[in-house]
Amino acid sequence: NHWSTDTANALFELLIPNPQKERLKRKGHISWILDEKSAAYPWELLQDKSLDAKPLCINAGMIRQLRTTNYRTDIKRAPQKRALIIADPDLKGYVTQLPGAKDEGFRVEETLGKFDYPTTTLIGQDASTIIKSFFSQDYSIIHLAGHGEFNPERPKESGMIIGDKLF
């Protein structure tokens, strides 16, 4: 919760293997496949030391994936195409709102709309609305843009933050 340029630069130097640093500096998209311990680091906020550098997530696409041995093997496919977009939920002061996440939600909605892809868009909505929409339909795409939290001691208290201690 206390980002600083110095910390972001130091973590970049300590956590990123040297052969990968130049690729990330060129603003390449990246998919992070993380274990429980490495998932706790703020990978999106790392920043190299070059002049006018910004956190990695500003200029590149990033996906975080948790590597686990505990997962469902029989995943139900959505019967029709439909997307759910959840962006910058109303967190009622639990943590700060993310205007960039809100903008991302609108951009994803616009992009899917160009392909006539049916969407349910929940931008700035409360936890109750999000939960009801999430479980009332099947979706072939679920796009989340907002704060996330990982708690290795209590994994059920992990995920996208949609309210005060609600994930």
Side-chain angles (χ1 to χ4, degrees), residues 68-92:
T68 179
T69 57
N70 182 16
Y71 57 90
R72 294 184 330 188
T73 56
D74 187 23
I75 298 174
K76 177 182 148 192
R77 292 178 91 50
Q80 57 189 356
K81 68 179 191 176
R82 180 188 316 263
L84 174 64
I85 302 166
I86 301 171
D88 194 30
D90 181 3
L91 302 175
K92 300 185 184 344

Side-chain angles (χ1 to χ4, degrees), residues 35-36 63 69 76 80 91 115 137 152 154 159:
D35 61 16
E36 284 187 20
I63 296 174
T69 57
K76 177 182 148 192
Q80 57 189 356
L91 302 175
F115 297 96
Q137 297 287 327
R154 293 183 300 279

